[in-house]
Amino acid sequence: MDDLNVTAEEHLTAARASAHGRSAHLVLQQPPLRQTVIALTEGTALDEHNAPPAASLLVLRGGVRLTAASGDADLSAGTLHPIPQERHGLLALSDAVVLLTAVND
């Protein structure tokens, strides 16, 4: 079993050391469910991409902006937010770690 606090800290440290400003780790895979910890340094973005059939984002540390055509959402630590069923992106407003939960086909 993963300790999300430890995993978050490890990947935030790795993101800070990365030239790309990000680090990710798949913590749970029980098809069709996947949970991934994603760490991003301030200003780092995940470019627009397609949404899985169902997904949510839990902010573990820092703050992020979830961007989508239907509107942007600024999320802070402790916030759980659904991923819109449209193309979307993610921008770190500060050094941040999120838990992405996705259900894939």
Side-chain angles (χ1 to χ4, degrees):
M1 179 183 293
D2 287 40
D3 180 324
L4 288 181
N5 288 315
V6 171
T7 302
E9 192 58 38
E10 288 173 352
H11 286 277
L12 192 51
T13 298
R16 288 174 176 148
S18 169
H20 300 290
R22 61 184 177 221
S23 180
H25 175 69
L26 181 63
V27 293
L28 178 77
Q29 183 170 2
Q30 291 181 323
L33 180 69
R34 290 173 55 103
Q35 289 187 302
T36 306
V37 168
I38 303 168
L40 304 167
T41 57
E42 182 175 356
T44 300
L46 296 179
D47 293 333
E48 190 176 273
H49 52 279
N50 293 326
S56 67
L57 198 65
L58 172 62
V59 182
L60 300 173
R61 303 233 174 115
V64 297
R65 176 171 296 139
L66 182 62
T67 60
S70 61
D72 297 349
D74 288 353
L75 311 171
S76 59
T79 304
L80 176 65
H81 195 276
I83 302 290
Q85 292 296 298
E86 60 186 332
R87 291 183 60 79
H88 62 279
L90 190 67
L91 170 67
L93 301 176
S94 61
D95 287 359
V97 182
V98 299
L99 177 67
L100 171 65
T101 300
V103 175
N104 296 302
D105 292 344

